[in-house]
Amino acid sequence: MNLSKSLYTKAIQCPKALWLKKYNKEVLTPPDATALARFETGNVVGELACKLFPNGKEVIYNPDDFNGMVETTKEWIEEGLEYIYEATFLYNGILVLVDVLKVTPDGLEIYEVKSSSSVKDIYLHDVSIQLYVLKQLGYSVISSNVVHIDSSYVRGDELDLNGLFKIVDVSDEVNTLQVDIPKRLEEFELYLADRDNEPDIDIGSHCNKPYECDAKEYCWRVQRNIPEYSLFNIFNLGSKKQIELYEQGIVNIEDIPDGYAMTAIQKQKVQNWKEQVTFVDEENIKDFLNTLNYPIYHLDFETFQQAIPEWKGISPYQQIPFQYSLHIEHSDGIIEHKEFLGEDGIDPRYELAKRLVEDIPIDVTVLAYNMSFEKGVNAKLAESFPEFTDHLLSINENTKDLMFPFQKKYYVTPEMQGSYSIKYVLPSLVPEMAEAYKSLNGIQNGSDAMNAFPKLPSMSPKEKADTRTALLEYCKLDTLAMVEVLKKLKKVIE
């Protein structure tokens, strides 16, 4: 059947995805920059985790000679080598590479390394197929384990691997899954036996769980012509109401019956889309604007995360701010701009916090879009640098959320598609600003910025200079966009 453990878990999510990967992979959406960065992180974490199991040997990956990898693994097991990295086994067309295999006098131990901060259900299927293959080959497996990042770990002066990683024994769970594997493999083999006809599997919650499937665009847009904004945006995918309407052949929001039972917010979304009108609650917008006092400090942070913290005081996957933009709007209409971008290769937090308290006085109105993010970053900075604590917490106390009137449905347009995300609000209210993002060079969204900053140390001088300029231009546009959105809100009550 030629099945790897990654293809097996893909088939667990959806057998059609497996079939497409085998026979029609051209329709699959290639991984974006964020996904590629996640893969790279996984590789780095995997290599580091091997140091928990020292003095082992790695089976060198050779896609042209899996049999050779299998033989090498077998020889090292027979020699009694304690730790084997990428131990390779092949049974009945199923190929598995065990991240770390421990060889003991009593049997083998499996260690699957993941860069996430918890054990997910899909990981159990990943380990279970490894266990299945080893057992079918006659090996005695005495434990199965998942090694993952412990997000509660805080780095000290040196990296403590035993603190960074958590080892979880999942033997009971994966042993329980063994009974279903032969039936699953038989099902997958039946699907793959028909090379001409892809499986007839409908869309559903499995398209997004545990990961967004790389066939989703094909299955949803190409095969079923489901629009970007559909009933799936009104009801949660997989909800009873969504399934009920979908099974009746209803996909478009305008086809939802007028008398269909919905919550008040759902009804408003549907009605607004059907009538294609803009709803504005002038009184509540006025009340919101009255909470803002000039000068208004429009603030936006850019952050990145590290699975393996490089600097003291940082936890895995902590949001590390490296940049901010600040547009200061005065009552007479004058706009000032201030900004900060950390130096690459060093911890940017202290210098950023120092500049931030210089740029934002105590007791002024700070405006953010989705303020919980900015306030969370500020709170962490306040915790990390006591000399700035009072000032940073004061900033938080005076922070208002520009998202609030859209979240509360005080201002709704059809173009917002029922969302209050800036991704939909901005092009609806200030379309020229949305176009300005598309003209940016290299950095056009938060994900681009998050991926670019940690790569600066490895760039050539010119590439680094260009990327730093692009980062500054992008972040500046974020707060300028907030100025323009606020201006639209003001016009409502003029």
Side-chain angles (χ1 to χ4, degrees):
M1 189 162 44
N2 296 323
L3 202 64
S4 64
K5 63 180 184 180
S6 62
L7 289 177
Y8 177 77
T9 53
K10 178 181 280 289
I12 290 289
Q13 181 169 346
C14 179
K16 181 179 177 181
L18 169 64
W19 191 95
L20 291 170
K21 181 72 173 179
K22 284 281 191 178
Y23 303 137
N24 194 15
K25 60 184 178 182
E26 292 77 13
V27 305
L28 302 178
T29 302
D32 58 15
T34 299
L36 292 173
R38 189 168 59 248
F39 299 153
E40 184 178 337
T41 295
N43 291 332
V44 172
V45 169
E47 290 179 9
L48 188 62
C50 288
K51 294 183 179 180
L52 289 170
F53 311 93
N55 304 317
K57 289 184 180 179
E58 180 181 357
V59 178
I60 303 303
Y61 183 76
N62 184 352
D64 297 322
D65 188 17
F66 287 129
N67 288 327
M69 295 173 64
V70 169
E71 285 303 312
T72 298
T73 301
K74 186 177 178 181
E75 289 173 10
W76 287 350
I77 291 174
E78 291 173 351
E79 290 173 8
L81 180 64
E82 185 175 11
Y83 295 119
I84 303 173
Y85 317 132
E86 302 300 323
T88 307
F89 302 90
L90 181 63
Y91 169 74
N92 202 23
I94 307 170
L95 178 77
V96 298
L97 277 65
V98 179
D99 289 339
V100 179
L101 186 75
K102 182 176 182 179
V103 182
T104 79
D106 298 322
L108 305 179
E109 297 179 7
I110 294 171
Y111 293 87
E112 174 68 16
V113 180
K114 297 296 183 184
S115 59
S116 74
S117 58
S118 64
V119 177
K120 298 184 170 80
D121 287 345
I122 196 66
Y123 300 165
L124 302 178
H125 290 290
D126 189 328
V127 179
S128 72
I129 192 64
Q130 299 176 49
L131 175 61
Y132 174 81
V133 168
L134 267 65
K135 289 177 73 173
Q136 295 302 309
L137 291 171
Y139 290 105
S140 172
V141 179
I142 58 176
S143 77
S144 300
N145 308 270
V146 172
V147 183
H148 69 81
I149 297 288
D150 185 348
S151 58
S152 68
Y153 167 72
V154 180
R155 175 167 178 155
D157 291 324
E158 301 294 332
L159 189 65
D160 175 14
L161 294 184
N162 291 311
L164 175 65
F165 289 106
K166 181 180 287 187
I167 300 176
V168 182
D169 189 322
V170 295
S171 300
D172 290 344
E173 293 91 332
V174 298
N175 281 327
T176 300
L177 291 172
Q178 294 300 298
V179 67
D180 294 326
I181 291 179
K183 184 178 179 182
R184 290 184 190 276
L185 292 174
E186 185 178 332
E187 175 192 355
F188 301 158
E189 193 165 12
L190 283 173
Y191 280 122
L192 293 177
D194 186 350
R195 292 171 171 265
D196 300 318
N197 300 296
E198 68 181 44
D200 183 18
I201 297 175
D202 209 346
I203 60 174
S205 58
H206 58 272
C207 297
N208 292 327
K209 296 178 182 178
Y211 312 109
E212 181 171 306
C213 180
D214 54 4
K216 182 177 178 181
E217 187 73 14
Y218 169 71
C219 295
W220 285 52
R221 310 285 179 237
V222 177
Q223 290 192 320
R224 292 169 178 81
N225 296 312
I226 294 174
E228 287 287 339
Y229 191 50
S230 68
L231 74 89
F232 298 107
N233 301 91
I234 303 295
F235 307 103
N236 293 327
L237 181 65
S239 71
K240 183 178 178 181
K241 290 182 178 180
Q242 172 259 312
I243 293 172
E244 185 178 86
L245 290 168
Y246 180 66
E247 288 179 347
Q248 294 174 24
I250 296 174
V251 170
N252 295 310
I253 294 173
E254 51 267 34
D255 295 330
I256 297 175
D258 291 336
Y260 190 73
M262 292 177 281
T263 66
I265 292 178
Q266 290 168 344
K267 285 181 181 177
Q268 183 185 353
K269 286 184 178 182
V270 171
Q271 200 64 25
N272 180 254
W273 182 258
K274 285 184 175 182
E275 295 177 356
Q276 289 292 296
V277 295
T278 295
F279 171 79
V280 180
D281 185 337
E282 294 183 18
E283 197 61 37
N284 273 315
I285 290 175
K286 183 178 180 180
D287 289 343
F288 169 74
L289 293 176
N290 285 338
T291 67
L292 309 180
N293 298 310
Y294 289 96
I296 298 171
Y297 285 68
H298 298 262
L299 173 66
D300 179 70
F301 285 123
E302 296 302 329
T303 64
F304 73 109
Q305 299 173 313
Q306 296 175 326
I308 304 166
E310 293 182 34
W311 304 301
K312 184 177 180 179
I314 292 178
S315 296
Y317 298 115
Q318 177 180 323
Q319 297 287 356
I320 305 171
F322 63 86
Q323 178 180 14
Y324 68 77
S325 175
L326 198 62
H327 271 89
I328 307 167
E329 182 180 357
H330 296 272
S331 57
D332 58 4
I334 293 177
I335 305 287
E336 296 179 69
H337 181 250
K338 296 184 179 183
E339 61 189 3
F340 173 87
L341 175 59
E343 294 300 317
D344 56 275
I346 63 172
D347 185 351
R349 294 175 302 152
Y350 179 82
E351 288 301 323
L352 182 144
K354 181 181 177 183
R355 280 281 301 276
L356 191 67
V357 299
E358 292 173 359
D359 287 345
I360 303 180
I362 292 176
D363 297 331
V364 297
T365 295
V366 177
L367 197 60
Y369 203 98
N370 188 16
M371 68 178 182
S372 62
F373 180 77
E374 269 68 26
K375 290 178 73 171
V377 170
N378 258 342
K380 200 67 179 176
L381 289 172
E383 178 186 315
S384 301
F385 306 110
E387 64 191 277
F388 305 131
T389 297
D390 291 344
H391 199 129
L392 290 168
L393 293 181
S394 174
I395 290 173
N396 272 6
E397 290 172 4
N398 295 290
T399 299
K400 306 293 183 181
D401 200 339
L402 184 57
M403 185 174 74
F404 182 80
F406 305 102
Q407 186 179 26
K408 292 297 183 180
K409 308 301 178 186
Y410 299 159
Y411 199 139
V412 180
T413 73
E415 294 79 13
M416 291 178 192
Q417 298 186 5
S419 173
Y420 47 83
S421 164
I422 192 67
K423 175 183 175 182
Y424 292 95
V425 171
L426 185 62
S428 172
L429 298 189
V430 197
E432 62 274 20
M433 287 295 299
E435 289 302 313
Y437 279 93
K438 296 178 183 178
S439 66
L440 290 174
N441 183 25
I443 310 292
Q444 297 184 340
N445 55 57
S447 294
D448 289 343
M450 177 183 70
N451 293 328
F453 182 76
K455 293 180 180 177
L456 286 174
S458 62
M459 293 181 182
S460 67
K462 183 180 185 310
E463 186 181 9
K464 182 185 294 188
D466 290 345
T467 301
R468 291 184 67 86
T469 298
L471 284 166
L472 291 170
E473 289 177 352
Y474 165 71
C475 198
K476 182 178 181 179
L477 199 57
D478 270 356
T479 47
L480 183 59
M482 291 168 58
V483 172
E484 293 299 321
V485 169
L486 183 60
K487 190 183 295 183
K488 289 291 183 179
L489 288 177
K490 292 174 188 173
K491 286 184 178 180
V492 168
I493 62 171
E494 287 179 354

